[in-house]
Amino acid sequence: DKHRLILFSLVGVMSGIASVLLTSRLGSTRPSIAMGWELSIITMVVLGGVSILGGSGTIAGVVLAVILMGLVTFGMGLLNIPGIVMTIIVGVMLITVVSLPVLITFYKNKKAKAL
């Protein structure tokens, strides 16, 4: 329980720091400031190797996924791709990343049974 308390405290401190940085960057704040970021954040975390069911993944993988997603979204912005198309692309990335391990396991099992 001691470790859980320390982890929740660290999450609270990091959330506070992130909110101060975001507010200082934008110059103001409102309750809906990060609305719609859920899809991108979940995609970054899953792309980084963290299991949807929990229990696996590394911080380094998530950091690399954040950098990759940042480059992808920045590149799409440079290409003047509309926001809705960016959201669709991020959604397709999420579906691909979630379904890829399941499909790989399915085909490995199918191949093992065929032999």
Side-chain angles (χ1 to χ4, degrees):
D1 287 333
K2 181 179 177 182
H3 296 290
R4 187 174 291 191
L5 177 67
I6 291 171
L7 288 175
F8 276 116
S9 299
L10 281 174
V11 168
V13 168
M14 294 298 169
S15 298
I17 291 171
S19 65
V20 167
L21 291 174
L22 183 63
T23 302
S24 65
R25 179 176 161 229
L26 297 177
S28 66
T29 188
R30 59 188 182 281
S32 61
I33 201 162
M35 202 172 208
W37 288 5
E38 298 88 1
L39 178 66
S40 297
I41 292 170
I42 292 170
T43 304
M44 285 183 242
V45 171
V46 173
L47 186 63
V50 177
S51 172
I52 293 262
L53 303 174
S56 65
T58 62
I59 293 176
V62 174
V63 169
L64 287 174
V66 168
I67 292 170
L68 177 69
M69 282 292 296
L71 289 173
V72 167
T73 55
F74 183 71
M76 287 189 289
L78 287 177
L79 294 172
N80 291 325
I81 295 176
I84 189 71
V85 177
M86 285 187 197
T87 304
I88 291 170
I89 291 171
V90 170
V92 168
M93 286 176 68
L94 178 61
I95 291 170
T96 303
V97 168
V98 168
S99 63
L100 199 60
V102 174
L103 291 174
I104 289 172
T105 305
F106 175 74
Y107 285 120
K108 279 185 180 179
N109 290 341
K110 189 175 178 181
K111 191 181 257 187
K113 287 180 182 178
L115 295 176

